[in-house]
Amino acid sequence: MIYKSFVRLLAAAALVCGCAGPVPVSNVDAVMDNILSRKSVRSYTDQKLTEEQINTLLRAAMAAPSGSNVQPWSFVVLTDPSEYETIFAGNFNMDKFKQSAAVFVLCADTTVTRTPRGGGEPVVQPNGTWRDDLGAATENLLLAAESLGLGAVWTASYPYKDRYMPPKKALGLPDTVIPYSIVPVGYPAGDEQPKDKWDPARIHYGRW
Amino acid sequence: MIYKSFVRLLAAAALVCGCAGPVPVSNVDAVMDNILSRKSVRSYTDQKLTEEQINTLLRAAMAAPSGSNVQPWSFVVLTDPSEYETIFAGNFNMDKFKQSAAVFVLCADTTVTRTPRGGGEPVVQPNGTWRDDLGAATENLLLAAESLGLGAVWTASYPYKDRYMPPKKALGLPDTVIPYSIVPVGYPAGDEQPKDKWDPARIHYGRW
């Protein structure tokens, strides 16, 4: 009798506290918190990244949209600080970035190979939107880093020739491939805070 | 006696099923699910967006990183389908987009006004990274839309003059401001699914 009521009460209690099924997660709250928490982190502890963390960052980048779904991106991942110097040549923040656990070089193929609509041999053409696609991929990587509690910063490579030519040569990129952005990642050493950039004055309804 | 054991058992059950404190949310899971679930949605029901939803999308876009934190973006929001036609002139998908509840035109100021380091009068200069900043802002808006259960798609405006000049004129944008991307948003009418774009062949370690 006592045992039966024990079982019934446990079941009732479980129902009451909503543990019968999966706990509902408010996706928009977690996603917006992450977007609003993302910040530029330029100092890092000496803690390394796991292979799983590195793949999570790359998976996020590859999930970006791209014009005509061309996915013009490739990624060079560096984890040996002795290899960082040439990558950041021409970047005045280089010394800070040498402390990062990993450096992601997001590369873009500036061309796309298409088969003419009428058929025939594939033709190599310029890709008009590779820069936009890589911008979205870089942001996805930064957002994934924030969600992992990692610190990262988007350092511009393209369109600055003095910044993108040294890594292009050092990494042995193909002729049509350009290092678009360079993102050092590591565990934050400082306490950088996100900026509140909400500005209703930037919003226009109907027309400017 | 029965009542006391009832209370003790409820307490024990609550502890067992982890309902004593707030339920822990794994931010990385929610964030990666959002990034991997984002898809291009091109058909919409006639349900409108709330002002809160529109502001959430704009807040996400404004949280993007930008070169030297210039924040070169402005946004024109359209919710009257009769105003969509000129915006999408030159886009072959126009008829579909006319069904969307709102159209976000993400605009970029291609110039930046800086005070010379030596001091003196502010000088208007070209901004080298506005296109990259707007790419990140567009991706943030798309991710926020996905988290709200909304459907959206990035339609390229820049760099195609036949696409960005009609909305530039129709919306009365200043000379130095360009409509970078045009994003229709609404409640999905179909069941578009995200693409799995994970491709380890795109990853290089150390060098290409």
Side-chain angles (χ1 to χ4, degrees), chain A residues 66-67 70-75 105-114 124-134 158 168 173-180, chain B residues 202 208:
Chain A
S66 61
V70 163
Q71 302 169 43
W73 44 66
S74 293
F75 308 88
V105 183
L106 286 77
C107 305
D109 192 330
T110 59
T111 64
V112 57
T113 303
R114 288 199 174 94
V124 177
Q125 306 169 321
N127 177 359
T129 59
W130 64 265
R131 188 173 177 181
D132 313 291
D133 306 338
L134 267 291
Y158 194 83
K168 177 173 168 58
L173 303 187
D175 289 349
T176 63
V177 176
I178 287 179
Y180 167 80
Chain B
R202 306 299 189 96
W208 190 273

Side-chain angles (χ1 to χ4, degrees), chain A residues 6 9 13 17 19 63-64 71 73 75 77-78 128 131-132 139-140 170-171 180 197 202 204 206-208, chain B residues 6 9-10 17 19 38 63-64 71 73 75 77-78 128 131-132 139-140 170-171 180 197 202 204 206-208:
Chain A
F6 174 88
L9 288 169
C17 69
C19 297
Q71 302 169 43
W73 44 66
F75 308 88
V77 183
L78 306 173
R131 188 173 177 181
D132 313 291
E139 176 65 358
N140 274 10
L171 298 174
Y180 167 80
K197 297 182 279 189
R202 307 299 190 97
H204 307 266
R207 64 176 281 119
W208 190 271
Chain B
F6 174 89
L9 287 169
L10 265 185
C17 70
C19 297
R38 185 211 52 78
Q71 303 171 40
W73 43 65
F75 309 88
V77 183
L78 306 173
R131 189 173 176 181
D132 313 291
E139 177 64 358
N140 274 10
L171 299 174
Y180 167 80
K197 296 182 280 189
R202 306 299 189 96
H204 307 267
R207 65 177 279 119
W208 190 273

Side-chain angles (χ1 to χ4, degrees), chain B residues 149-182:
Chain B
L150 299 172
V153 59
W154 179 335
T155 77
S157 175
Y158 194 83
Y160 306 112
K161 199 165 188 177
D162 60 333
R163 289 194 184 190
Y164 71 73
M165 282 311 290
K168 178 173 167 58
K169 289 176 184 167
L171 299 174
L173 303 188
D175 288 350
T176 62
V177 176
I178 287 179
Y180 167 80
S181 61
I182 303 177

Side-chain angles (χ1 to χ4, degrees), chain B residues 4-172:
Chain B
K4 275 188 182 172
S5 60
F6 174 89
V7 173
R8 276 201 300 274
L9 287 169
L10 265 185
L15 227 75
V16 166
C17 70
C19 297
V23 178
V25 174
S26 170
N27 205 36
V28 62
D29 291 347
V31 167
M32 287 303 294
D33 176 69
N34 174 248
I35 288 174
L36 298 174
S37 299
R38 185 211 52 78
K39 62 200 76 74
S40 296
V41 175
R42 297 181 174 83
S43 62
Y44 320 92
T45 70
D46 57 8
Q47 187 174 345
K48 297 299 180 187
L49 306 189
T50 64
E51 184 181 352
E52 184 184 3
Q53 287 174 318
I54 289 174
N55 285 337
T56 297
L57 298 179
L58 293 169
R59 189 177 298 277
M62 289 186 204
S66 61
S68 306
N69 193 30
V70 164
Q71 303 171 40
W73 43 65
S74 293
F75 309 88
V76 182
V77 183
L78 306 173
T79 53
D80 177 356
S82 72
E83 299 174 331
Y84 295 174
E85 188 142 0
T86 51
I87 305 307
F88 287 113
N91 188 310
F92 63 89
N93 270 314
M94 187 175 70
D95 289 342
K96 287 181 180 176
F97 301 145
K98 280 189 205 162
Q99 307 159 356
S100 63
V103 172
F104 293 76
V105 182
L106 286 77
C107 304
D109 192 329
T110 59
T111 64
V112 58
T113 303
R114 288 199 175 93
T115 303
R117 295 197 173 181
E121 287 303 306
V123 181
V124 177
Q125 306 169 322
N127 176 358
T129 59
W130 64 265
R131 189 173 176 181
D132 313 291
D133 306 337
L134 267 290
T138 304
E139 177 64 358
N140 274 10
L141 191 151
L142 295 174
L143 291 169
E146 177 67 35
S147 76
L148 288 165
L150 299 172
V153 59
W154 179 335
T155 77
S157 175
Y158 194 83
Y160 306 112
K161 199 165 188 177
D162 60 333
R163 289 194 184 190
Y164 71 73
M165 282 311 290
K168 178 173 167 58
K169 289 176 184 167
L171 299 174

Side-chain angles (χ1 to χ4, degrees), chain A residues 54-71:
Chain A
I54 289 174
N55 285 338
T56 297
L57 299 178
L58 294 169
R59 189 178 297 277
M62 289 187 203
S66 61
S68 305
N69 193 31
V70 163
Q71 302 169 43

